[in-house]
Amino acid sequence: MSLESDVRELWQRYDDGDLDAESATVDELDQLDAFLDALEAGEVRAAEKTGPDVTSWEANEWVKRGILLNFGLRETLAREYGDVRYHDVLPLRDTDDLGERGTRNTPDGTVIRRGAHLGSDCIMMSPSFVNIGASVGDGTLVDSCDTVGSCAQIGADVKLGANTLIGGVLEPVEDAPVVVEDGAALGAGCRVTSGFVVGENSIVGENTLLTPRIPVYDLVDEEIYYGHLPANRRAFTRFVESSLGDHDLFAGGAYKPAVVALDIEDDTLDATRREEALRE
């Protein structure tokens, strides 16, 4: 049987109530371990792009079910990480393979959960966290105090500025996770949640919130988008008038956040390029 068919068969039994953490056998847990190994190797991913457009990302439902099975079919055990004792259903990811691929994770706070994929020549600064099912592409920088949520898909040569939150979307399984495409740069303090997609090579200003509930006013296409930022944009937060309008509680009217997207200018690109010293 293939890995996908193994996961589908286990899920059906689990969903029918015929399989749980107490009844799971060594063979069945071995199948889940093989699934986690495939996630870590980048052989399977929680979402894939099915077309050229930034809106064409779709969830791989069977992969997300495989992740859920690792919580449903495993017991919580006492584990150790350095001098820290913790309790979880999974150990942390083995990082022995990172050095041979040029990927770095600094000590005292970089946490890579089992089932997370890191490409070659990545940098994880401490403290930072990459959750199960997430995929981080080659040459990407995950800066200090960053979180990459479960199933999030981060492309190659991406820069996640310090204190950036990439939200996780594990359930419902049919919902696509957060995606940051190749070459994008997110400024410090950005938040990307609820399956939002950042198009390739876009630059997002610091402290910008990107979520499907906040409109993106794209001044290039002269369109208003929800749930994605087109490729090759420079985006930042502005405030627009709220439908609440004038109210006694709001002196001068009420306002709500929005995102404005412009063309990327050459000087903006130059300002966001990482120094080569980071790669040496």
Side-chain angles (χ1 to χ4, degrees):
M1 296 176 69
S2 68
L3 188 61
E4 180 177 350
S5 59
D6 285 343
V7 168
R8 290 186 182 278
E9 190 268 338
L10 287 175
W11 179 264
Q12 189 62 58
R13 292 166 57 200
Y14 174 73
D15 196 43
D16 290 342
D18 298 328
L19 184 63
D20 58 20
E22 292 185 359
S23 61
T25 66
V26 172
D27 286 344
E28 289 156 348
L29 294 179
D30 284 346
Q31 290 176 342
L32 293 182
D33 281 332
F35 168 76
L36 293 174
D37 290 341
L39 276 175
E40 292 177 6
E43 296 169 358
V44 297
R45 294 176 60 170
E48 60 185 1
K49 196 173 184 180
T50 59
D53 191 75
V54 69
T55 61
S56 64
W57 284 88
E58 295 182 4
N60 281 327
E61 296 183 24
W62 75 270
V63 174
K64 295 176 78 174
R65 288 193 174 105
I67 294 170
L68 290 170
L69 284 171
N70 275 279
F71 296 105
L73 299 183
R74 296 184 188 271
E75 301 282 0
T76 298
L77 301 175
R79 305 179 186 277
E80 292 186 0
Y81 179 72
D83 297 328
V84 177
R85 188 173 176 85
Y86 68 100
H87 294 77
D88 200 356
V89 295
L90 289 170
L92 298 182
R93 186 192 191 283
D94 191 324
T95 59
D96 288 347
D97 63 314
L98 300 186
E100 64 190 24
R101 292 186 287 109
T103 287
R104 290 189 273 150
N105 62 313
T106 58
D108 295 329
T110 56
V111 179
I112 310 169
R113 206 170 189 197
R114 182 86 162 93
H117 169 68
L118 264 68
S120 300
D121 300 316
C122 295
I123 297 175
M124 281 190 65
M125 300 300 294
S126 60
S128 57
F129 175 70
V130 180
N131 208 346
I132 184 172
S135 178
V136 178
D138 296 346
T140 286
L141 170 64
V142 180
D143 212 338
S144 299
C145 301
D146 288 353
T147 296
V148 180
S150 56
C151 299
Q153 304 294 295
I154 311 298
D157 300 314
V158 169
K159 179 181 178 182
L160 302 181
N163 198 32
T164 292
L165 170 65
I166 306 297
V169 181
L170 183 52
E171 294 184 279
V173 294
E174 63 271 14
D175 285 359
V178 172
V179 177
V180 181
E181 294 190 335
D182 296 350
L186 275 61
C190 286
R191 301 290 186 268
V192 190
T193 68
S194 304
F196 194 97
V197 180
V198 178
E200 62 183 14
N201 301 318
S202 286
I203 297 171
V204 181
E206 61 185 26
N207 295 318
T208 300
L209 173 60
L210 298 173
T211 178
R213 295 177 297 278
I214 292 179
V216 175
Y217 291 85
D218 184 22
L219 304 188
V220 179
D221 291 341
E222 297 188 351
E223 296 282 354
I224 301 175
Y225 296 116
Y226 287 88
H228 73 276
L229 174 67
N232 303 300
R233 298 293 194 270
R234 179 168 61 93
F236 48 88
T237 298
R238 287 294 182 266
F239 288 86
V240 298
E241 189 172 352
S242 169
S243 59
L244 290 175
D246 293 329
H247 193 283
D248 291 342
L249 293 178
F250 302 101
Y255 292 85
K256 61 184 179 181
V259 174
V260 176
L262 306 171
D263 268 321
I264 294 180
E265 299 171 354
D266 289 341
D267 57 350
T268 303
L269 286 171
D270 291 339
T272 59
R273 291 195 177 105
R274 286 161 288 182
E275 296 181 6
E276 288 301 319
L278 288 173
R279 299 298 171 190
E280 296 178 355

